[in-house]
């Protein structure tokens, strides 16, 4: 289809974990190498050395940690794959912060809007080429255009401030994925993964988490927890795991 002119640039969108993204990129690199050996003329139609020429990921200062976006960005940069951003404002949730968080940020950049902070954060991330921002009215469109008339990335201090604001925004479960709990679970449940999903659901009741849970067999889902609390006895964070499950 590239040869026929129907596809100019081939890319993909990914909500997966970094390890899933890496497998996909490795596959693309391998297929490109095979194509280069077999048909150099067609291989020359692709940018770089991967059949994938860009990747769209969910990226904002909240998901920098929560959705492991930092690791995904580092991986895409390692493979020299241009980044497209979806959910830069987390479905609008980052367009308005608490009064306390807003005051902290305003003290650092008095003329910057709350949505502007989210976009400036993205201006600080290397290799971003496209940012997809949902806008509901002309006012939001004009505000976004005004923001991007200038390139004003955040410095190190400002990046720490915005990441801190994200951490203060929601009461997250402090699971560190140490996996002590899994070795004590008689049901063999992937508890750290379910804690990750729980944090995601607390922020946004998204379809991705529901789909992810649907991939687990019935006997490996959170509902299979028998409430024995053996996992809680070894949890360094003292999370009430059985209640959450």
């Amino acid at each position: 289809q590239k040869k026929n002119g129907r596809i100019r640039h081939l890319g993909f969108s990914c909500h997966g974990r970094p390890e899933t993204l890496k497998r996909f990129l490795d596959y693309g690199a391998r297929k490109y190498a095979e194509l280069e050996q077999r048909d150099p003329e067609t291989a020359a139609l692709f940018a770089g050395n991967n059949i994938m020429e860009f990747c769209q990921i969910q990226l904002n200062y909240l998901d920098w940690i929560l959705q492991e976006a930092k690791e995904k960005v580092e991986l895409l940069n390692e493979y020299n794959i241009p980044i497209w951003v979806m959910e830069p404002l987390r479905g609008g949730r980052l367009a308005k912060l608490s009064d306390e968080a807003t005051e902290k940020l305003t003290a650092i950049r008095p003329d910057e809007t709350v949505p502007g902070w989210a976009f400036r954060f993205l201006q600080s991330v290397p290799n971003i080429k496209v940012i997809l921002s949902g806008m509901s009215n002309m006012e939001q469109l004009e505000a976004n255009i005004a923001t991007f008339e200038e390139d004003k990335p955040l410095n190190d201090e400002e990046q720490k401030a915005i990441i801190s604001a994200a951490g203060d925004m929601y009461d997250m479960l402090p699971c560190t994925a140490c996996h002590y709990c899994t070795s004590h679970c008689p049901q063999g449940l992937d508890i750290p993964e379910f804690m990750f999903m729980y944090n995601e659901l607390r922020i946004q009741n998204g379809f991705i988490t529901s789909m992810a849970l649907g991939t687990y067999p019935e006997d490996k889902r959170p509902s299979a927890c028998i409430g024995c609390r053996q996992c809680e006895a070894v949890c360094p964070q003292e999370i009430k795991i059985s209640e959450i499950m």
Side-chain angles (χ1 to χ4, degrees):
Q1 299 305 318
K2 288 272 283 190
K3 243 179 172 177
N4 294 334
R6 294 191 180 97
I7 296 175
R8 291 189 180 182
H9 297 285
L10 181 65
F12 67 107
S13 179
C14 179
H15 279 286
R17 306 294 287 272
E19 53 268 29
T20 305
L21 179 59
K22 186 177 190 309
R23 288 201 302 271
F24 206 83
L25 292 171
D26 284 344
Y27 176 85
R30 190 167 67 250
K31 287 299 177 183
Y32 177 84
E34 293 172 4
L35 180 63
E36 196 173 34
Q37 287 284 326
R38 186 178 69 252
D39 186 355
E41 184 181 347
T42 301
L45 298 174
F46 291 85
N49 57 358
N50 201 302
I51 60 171
M52 291 300 153
E53 299 174 276
F54 65 89
C55 177
Q56 176 177 276
I57 61 173
Q58 182 167 318
L59 175 55
N60 51 67
Y61 62 83
L62 177 62
D63 288 320
W64 190 245
I65 304 299
L66 183 64
Q67 288 276 350
E68 299 175 292
K70 180 177 184 290
E71 288 78 5
K72 294 174 189 175
V73 165
E74 290 171 350
L75 187 59
L76 290 167
N77 285 337
E78 178 186 334
Y79 283 76
N80 198 29
I81 301 291
I83 300 168
W84 290 21
V85 174
M86 56 180 155
E87 299 288 353
L89 294 176
R90 242 317 178 121
R93 288 180 176 267
L94 300 183
K96 184 175 176 58
L97 304 180
S98 68
D99 291 343
E100 182 181 359
T102 301
E103 287 174 9
K104 287 180 181 178
L105 298 180
T106 301
I108 300 172
R109 283 198 179 194
D111 298 327
E112 198 71 80
T113 65
V114 169
W117 270 90
F119 293 128
R120 299 300 182 204
F121 175 80
L122 296 176
Q123 288 181 346
S124 313
V125 179
N127 210 23
I128 288 178
K129 304 302 181 185
V130 176
I131 298 173
L132 305 175
S133 176
M135 291 162 281
S136 305
N137 53 51
M138 184 61 72
E139 182 182 359
Q140 292 176 1
L141 175 61
E142 291 172 346
N144 284 0
I145 291 173
T147 295
F148 282 97
E149 282 179 341
E150 294 182 272
D151 188 24
K152 296 168 63 178
L154 305 181
N155 59 34
D156 290 345
E157 179 189 350
E158 291 166 338
Q159 287 189 48
K160 288 177 183 177
I162 198 68
I163 295 295
S164 174
D168 294 342
M169 229 184 305
Y170 303 99
D171 183 20
M172 298 289 186
L173 293 175
C175 176
T176 60
C178 66
H179 285 85
Y180 293 166
C181 55
T182 55
S183 62
H184 287 69
C185 177
Q187 303 296 90
L189 303 181
D190 190 352
I191 298 171
E193 182 65 16
F194 295 143
M195 297 300 101
F196 176 89
M197 292 182 184
Y198 181 80
N199 277 337
E200 171 67 22
L201 282 170
R202 291 185 69 158
I203 294 172
Q204 189 165 333
N205 190 15
F207 69 95
I208 297 169
T209 303
S210 300
M211 286 197 300
L213 282 172
T215 65
Y216 285 81
E218 291 273 351
D219 63 343
K220 295 299 180 183
R221 296 180 184 178
S223 55
C225 173
I226 59 176
C228 68
R229 299 184 182 274
Q230 292 184 48
C231 56
E232 296 177 11
V234 295
C235 176
Q237 308 300 324
E238 300 183 350
I239 299 172
K240 302 298 181 185
I241 298 170
S242 59
E243 295 177 14
I244 294 161
M245 299 285 271

